[in-house]
Amino acid sequence: MPQQQGPQVPQASTAAGGPSGSGLSAGTGDWPAFRRSAERTGNSAGFAVHAQDVTQLAEKWSQTVGETVTSAVAVGDSVFVGSKDHGLYSFNADTGAIKWREQTKGAVQALPSVGAGLIVFASDDGSVYALDAATGKERWSHAGGYGASSPLVVETAQPGDTLIYVGGSGGNIDALDIGGNVKWSAATGGAIESSPAVKADVVYVGSSDGRLHAFNARTGAARWSFLTGGPVTATPAVDHGKVYVGSNDSKLYAIDADTGVPVWSQVTKGPIRASAAVGEVEGLPGPSVFVGSSDGALYAFDATTGQLRWSPINFNGPIASSPALGLDVLFMSANDNVLAVSPLNGAILWDASLVGARDTSPALARDKVLATAGNSIHAFALSTPAPAQAPVPPSAPAAIPSAPPSCGGSPVAACPRCAGSPGLPCPGCASPPVNGRTGACPSAP
C-alpha cells in the first residue's frame, strides 16, 4: 500500500547563524520539552482546563503530515512535532496551519526541546540539529550517534552557561553549548533511550545497562548510579528531593536525588517504559506520582511513601503514554483514545477517539490539549471559556465497597472505566455503561 503523502509545506531555509537563536523562548503555560520541564515531571499546574469543565473540551483543529509523528511540544504561537518522514514540523498553535518543515536524513522519533530561541532535536541520522525556533533556519548540527533520546535545553541568564543535554546510542550522555560544541561527555554502560532530566545542577538519565545515572550538570563528573533489574528506557522525573523512574524490571522506583539511595519501590505486572507525572493534586495530601505500565494499568502512588492512592485502572493494552498532570485532572492516551482522568480516584472524565494514540503523550499548552495519533496532530480546547474564578476543589472520594466477583474492574460503585467513557466497556464484565457518561457499571454493587 503506498504511503500517504504529507501536505506541501514551506521548507525551512538553511542558513548559517550565530550561536543564539531568535526571540522565541518558553514562558508560563508553554510545554517546551518532553515532560514539559527540565525536571521532566509532566506537571502543568496552571493549565486552564479543570475537572469541573473538562467535558467541554472539543477539537479545535487537526493537521496531517506524511508519516507517524511524535508527541508535541509548544511555545507561544508555535507547536512542534517530529515525524518518521524525516521532518520536524512547526504549526500555528491557533489554526494548525503548517509554518515550516525542516528535512533531515533520518526519522525524527524523539521530541524536540525549545530554549534560548532555538529548537533542538535528534534525528535517526545520528545528529542533533538546532534551528531558529521562529523561522526554522538551521543554526548548526552535530553528529554523535543520537536519535532515541530527547534533548533538553537548560537555559540560563548567561547564554554562555546554557547547555543542551542528550543521550546517545553508544551509551554517552553529552552536554553541548548553544553553538553545538561538546562541553563534556560521560559514559554509561549501555545505549541511552531515556531522556535526561536536570535539577539543581545534576543531570539524571536512564541507560540500557539497567542503571539510573546522576552526573554533575556542569562538568559531567559521576555523582552516583543506581542498579535496577532491567534496562531503564523511561525518562526520570525529579521532584521533592526524589527521582522517580520506571524500569523494564516492572518496578517504579523513588530514589534519593542527592545520594542515589532507594526510598521506595512498587511492583507492577509489566515493564514500565512510560515516564511518570509527579506533583501536588487538589484534594490529595502531599505529592502524587502517576505512571502507566505495559501490564495495561494506570497506577497512582503517594510520592512520599509509595502507597497506592487508588486501585490501578486497567485498559486493554500496554500503556506507553506518559500522563500529563494539570491542577486537578490527568491526561493520557490509551486504547486509541486521549483521556482525562481524575487523579483523585481514577474515574474517566472525558475521552476522544484518536486511532493510533496508544504510544504518544498529551501536552498541556496554555488553553489546549495537544494529542498526536498516527500521522496526525489534534488540538482540543474548551468549547466555552473557562470561568475566571478559581476552580472549586473537588471533594475527597467517599469510602467505596468492593466490587463483586462478576466485575473485574476497579472496586468502585460507579466503575471509572464505565462512568466517564461511553462506548468503552468495563474491562471485567465487558458491559457498556448504563447511563452514558454517568452510568454505573452494571455489575457494581
Side-chain angles (χ1 to χ4, degrees):
M1 179 180 296
Q3 294 180 333
Q4 181 178 356
Q5 297 298 310
Q8 296 296 314
V9 300
Q11 298 296 306
S13 58
T14 301
S20 62
S22 70
L24 185 61
S25 292
T28 302
D30 290 324
W31 193 279
F34 179 52
R35 313 305 297 137
R36 186 175 183 269
S37 64
E39 296 82 10
R40 307 284 198 181
T41 59
N43 187 348
S44 184
F47 185 53
V49 180
H50 303 290
Q52 67 185 27
D53 48 41
V54 71
T55 56
Q56 299 177 34
L57 281 172
E59 185 170 283
K60 183 172 183 179
W61 57 259
S62 66
Q63 183 64 266
T64 300
V65 300
E67 293 190 41
T68 303
V69 296
T70 67
S71 305
V73 301
V75 172
D77 65 352
S78 298
V79 175
F80 305 94
V81 300
S83 173
K84 284 187 177 180
D85 68 10
H86 300 190
L88 182 84
Y89 290 84
S90 174
F91 305 90
N92 182 291
D94 290 323
T95 67
I98 299 175
K99 293 182 172 183
W100 51 258
R101 175 182 184 274
E102 171 71 358
Q103 178 77 17
T104 74
K105 296 179 181 178
V108 180
Q109 302 189 77
L111 276 70
S113 178
V114 180
L118 300 175
I119 181 162
V120 181
F121 66 101
S123 168
D124 283 358
D125 64 17
S127 292
V128 163
Y129 293 82
L131 314 178
D132 183 297
T135 67
K137 292 181 179 179
E138 184 177 318
R139 297 294 181 179
W140 50 262
S141 65
H142 173 74
Y146 310 114
S149 177
S150 293
L152 177 66
V153 181
V154 179
E155 189 173 359
T156 64
Q158 298 295 325
D161 294 333
T162 295
L163 291 177
I164 299 160
Y165 303 93
V166 61
S169 59
N172 54 301
I173 172 75
D174 294 343
L176 313 177
D177 65 21
I178 57 173
N181 305 299
V182 178
K183 301 295 289 185
W184 58 259
S185 182
T188 72
I192 297 177
E193 296 181 31
S194 172
S195 302
V198 174
K199 175 74 172 181
D201 222 27
V202 181
V203 57
Y204 306 90
V205 70
S207 171
S208 61
D209 64 8
R211 293 181 179 271
L212 178 71
H213 296 265
F215 301 96
N216 183 292
R218 290 293 161 193
T219 67
R223 293 282 300 269
W224 52 259
S225 69
F226 174 79
L227 181 63
T228 75
V232 180
T233 56
T235 293
V238 191
D239 190 60
H240 289 82
K242 300 178 185 67
V243 187
Y244 302 91
V245 69
S247 170
N248 280 262
D249 66 1
S250 303
K251 291 182 180 180
L252 178 73
Y253 294 90
I255 304 163
D256 187 281
D258 291 327
T259 66
V261 174
V263 179
W264 56 260
S265 65
Q266 280 281 11
V267 179
T268 70
K269 297 178 181 179
I272 299 177
R273 301 186 177 95
S275 302
V278 187
E280 304 279 350
V281 174
E282 285 193 351
L284 292 176
S288 300
V289 55
F290 305 90
V291 70
S293 170
S294 296
D295 64 12
L298 173 69
Y299 293 82
F301 302 103
D302 182 306
T304 303
T305 66
Q307 295 299 306
L308 276 170
R309 291 291 199 192
W310 30 262
S311 296
I313 305 303
N314 295 308
F315 296 91
N316 299 322
I319 297 178
S321 174
S322 300
L325 179 63
L327 181 66
D328 58 0
V329 64
L330 191 73
F331 293 88
M332 60 177 290
S333 296
N335 293 340
D336 289 339
N337 286 263
V338 57
L339 309 143
V341 178
S342 170
L344 295 177
N345 55 24
I348 296 176
L349 307 175
W350 169 87
D351 64 26
S353 178
L354 299 178
V355 175
R358 291 175 179 268
D359 300 329
T360 55
S361 306
L364 311 182
R366 303 195 181 212
D367 61 343
K368 300 178 186 67
V369 178
L370 300 170
T372 57
N375 64 338
S376 298
I377 178 170
H378 305 258
F380 296 90
L382 295 178
S383 53
T384 58
Q389 69 271 19
V392 177
S395 57
I400 48 180
S402 298
S406 60
C407 178
S410 299
V412 291
C415 175
R417 194 69 180 89
C418 296
S421 186
L424 293 176
C426 171
C429 63
S431 298
V434 175
N435 296 310
R437 292 185 182 276
T438 60
C441 173
S443 299

